């Protein structure tokens, strides 16, 4: 009889599934994912899942629309094939920023995605630093025990290891009010103070940032945000911090989406460094998220690594 727990990775989550299986000391299986000639997704689960506790990992990072279809086909097949427990790990939950009808007529994307998740009858969903600003009860919304973990503690561990002397005179900066939650966690872990800037979004690519008496003069400013997408927020925040006389800037984020030429634009800022986790794979994804997820899974599912 195969061991009870099995980890499976989707096309955008294989790197995390591999680490998770190692950290948890459980079997890693595979799912075949190809396309029909007309572009439709084809899924085939290549391992026995009947009666097993299955942890399926896929991050809605690159090509989110296609990855969502891949994920839903796989999870539904796993249930249908008799998995006794089904846990979805979605380190980057796309569509979460559209959590309100900001303009008349807009789709509230995360609510629609959650409705689709509800049909899968999952046991639990694990994600990382998802925008939950306007969602109070994700467990009811998604129809499964919902864990929103943080990647900020993993980023802080990385900074402690690689930048301990630079951190001796540093301040943590949240680039907007919503980033206060991440700035507070990083400040606590690094035993530093934090400040939060004020952001006004002018369009999908343009923001205006102002400082609210941030004291960064002569210090290293360590920015922490959940997402870097176009880079607009970070570019504006760096301008403000430099105007305030900071000595240097180090940028960290959990999900380095870095669309288009965002990375090249950030390079031009001559930052001390740009560091992200691997919830989204990019040039700056140097911090593995698997340890944070493995810890939560081990605790919830009573797995002993
Ligand atoms: C917004 O609320 C998020 O926390 C990020 O600040 C935002 O998504 C970053 O986007 P961009 O890099 O396009 O400014």
């Amino acid at each position: 009889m195969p061991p009870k727990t099995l980890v499976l990775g989707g096309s955008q989550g294989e790197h995390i599934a591999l680490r998770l299986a190692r950290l948890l000391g459980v079997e890693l299986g595979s799912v075949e994912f190809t396309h029909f000639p007309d572009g439709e997704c084809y899924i085939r689960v290549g391992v026995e899942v009947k009666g097993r506790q299955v942890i399926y990992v896929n991050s809605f990072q690159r090509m989110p629309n296609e990855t969502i279809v891949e994920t839903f086909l796989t999870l539904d097949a796993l249930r249908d094939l008799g998995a006794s427990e089904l846990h979805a790990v979605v380190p980057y939950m796309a569509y979460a920023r559209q959590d309100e009808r900001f303009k008349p007529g807009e789709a509230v994307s995360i609510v629609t995605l959650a409705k689709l998740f509800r049909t899968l009858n999952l046991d639990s969903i694990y994600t990382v630093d998802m925008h939950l600003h306007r969602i109070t009860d994700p467990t009811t919304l998604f129809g499964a025990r919902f864990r929103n973990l943080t990647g900020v503690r993993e980023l802080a561990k990385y900074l402690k290891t690689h930048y301990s002397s630079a951190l001796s005179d540093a301040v943590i900066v949240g680039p907007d009010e919503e980033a206060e939650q991440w700035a507070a966690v990083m400040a606590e872990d690094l035993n530093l103070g934090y400040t939060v800037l004020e952001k006004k979004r002018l369009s999908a690519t343009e923001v205006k940032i102002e400082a609210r008496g941030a004291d960064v003069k002569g210090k290293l400013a360590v920015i922490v945000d959940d997402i870097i997408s176009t880079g607009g927020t970070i570019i504006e925040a760096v301008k403000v911090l430099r105007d305030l006389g900071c000595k240097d800037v180090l940028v960290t984020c959990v999900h380095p989406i870095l669309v288009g030429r965002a990375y090249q634009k950030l390079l031009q800022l001559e930052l001390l460094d740009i560091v992200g986790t691997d919830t989204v794979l990019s040039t700056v994804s140097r911090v593995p998220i698997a340890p944070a997820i493995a810890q939560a899974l081990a605790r919830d599912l009573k797995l002993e690594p």
Side-chain angles (χ1 to χ4, degrees):
M1 210 168 81
K4 192 170 175 251
T5 306
L6 172 71
V7 172
L8 296 171
S11 65
Q12 306 299 306
E14 278 172 324
H15 61 294
I16 299 168
L18 180 73
R19 280 207 166 95
L20 268 185
R22 277 198 201 130
L23 288 166
L24 295 170
V26 300
E27 184 188 339
L28 177 69
S30 65
V31 180
E32 184 186 342
F33 171 44
T34 55
H35 293 91
F36 288 103
D38 60 2
E40 291 174 0
C41 298
Y42 171 88
I43 294 293
R44 182 162 180 255
V45 179
V47 61
E48 179 60 78
V49 297
K50 201 171 172 53
R52 300 182 74 180
Q53 178 180 60
V54 181
I55 299 165
Y56 174 75
V57 189
N58 216 0
S59 199
F60 299 165
Q61 43 156 346
R62 302 287 164 214
M63 302 180 299
N65 301 337
E66 161 115 348
T67 311
I68 287 168
V69 174
E70 176 200 0
T71 300
F72 276 79
L73 291 178
T74 310
L75 287 169
D76 202 36
L78 289 168
R79 199 43 118 194
D80 202 34
L81 291 165
S84 60
E85 274 182 44
L86 194 47
H87 306 277
V89 177
V90 183
Y92 176 62
M93 186 70 79
Y95 287 108
R97 283 176 289 174
Q98 186 68 22
D99 57 358
E100 197 174 275
R101 183 160 291 130
F102 299 102
K103 291 187 196 145
E106 285 180 345
V108 187
S109 316
I110 195 61
V111 172
T112 306
L113 195 67
K115 268 186 203 161
L116 295 174
F117 267 107
R118 278 208 299 274
T119 64
L120 293 169
N121 189 24
L122 300 172
D123 290 280
S124 52
I125 299 171
Y126 292 78
T127 189
V128 180
D129 292 309
M130 177 181 147
H131 253 246
L132 282 179
H133 307 310
R134 285 164 280 266
I135 293 173
T136 46
D137 183 4
T139 292
T140 304
L141 190 66
F142 282 77
R145 180 180 58 192
F146 197 93
R147 297 270 189 249
N148 189 27
L149 310 174
T150 186
V152 173
R153 295 198 189 282
E154 304 307 308
L155 290 169
K157 274 189 230 157
Y158 181 93
L159 296 186
K160 257 189 211 164
T161 310
H162 294 84
Y163 287 102
S164 67
S165 66
L167 290 174
S168 61
D169 196 11
V171 60
I172 308 300
V173 180
D176 57 27
E177 293 87 339
E178 289 180 344
E180 177 159 8
Q181 55 187 305
W182 301 297
V185 169
M186 184 169 274
E188 183 186 273
D189 281 15
L190 298 177
N191 206 14
L192 292 165
Y194 75 87
T195 187
V196 175
L197 308 177
E198 273 176 46
K199 176 167 91 177
K200 210 170 151 203
R201 186 160 281 287
L202 308 175
S203 72
T205 52
E206 265 183 301
V207 296
K208 187 168 184 282
I209 291 192
E210 285 169 6
R212 222 177 13 185
D215 179 16
V216 297
K217 202 171 171 55
K219 295 184 184 172
L220 167 69
V222 179
I223 300 180
V224 59
D225 206 353
D226 57 343
I227 297 172
I228 303 179
S229 180
T230 64
T233 299
I234 297 297
I235 291 167
E236 285 303 306
V238 171
K239 271 189 210 153
V240 168
L241 293 168
R242 292 223 162 110
D243 285 350
L244 291 170
C246 75
K247 192 168 96 192
D248 219 336
V249 185
L250 197 162
V251 170
T252 67
C253 78
V254 177
H255 309 297
I257 302 176
L258 297 175
V259 296
R261 293 185 52 77
Y263 179 61
Q264 285 82 345
K265 287 188 208 155
L266 294 179
L267 277 185
Q268 284 171 17
L269 298 176
E270 300 193 4
L271 304 164
L272 179 59
D273 205 350
I274 315 167
V275 183
T277 81
D278 64 357
T279 58
V280 175
L281 284 176
S282 78
T283 326
V284 306
S285 310
R286 297 209 294 275
V287 179
I289 198 63
I293 300 170
Q295 198 183 28
L297 283 167
R299 187 192 53 224
D300 290 348
L301 309 186
K302 308 207 172 10
L303 301 170
E304 279 170 28

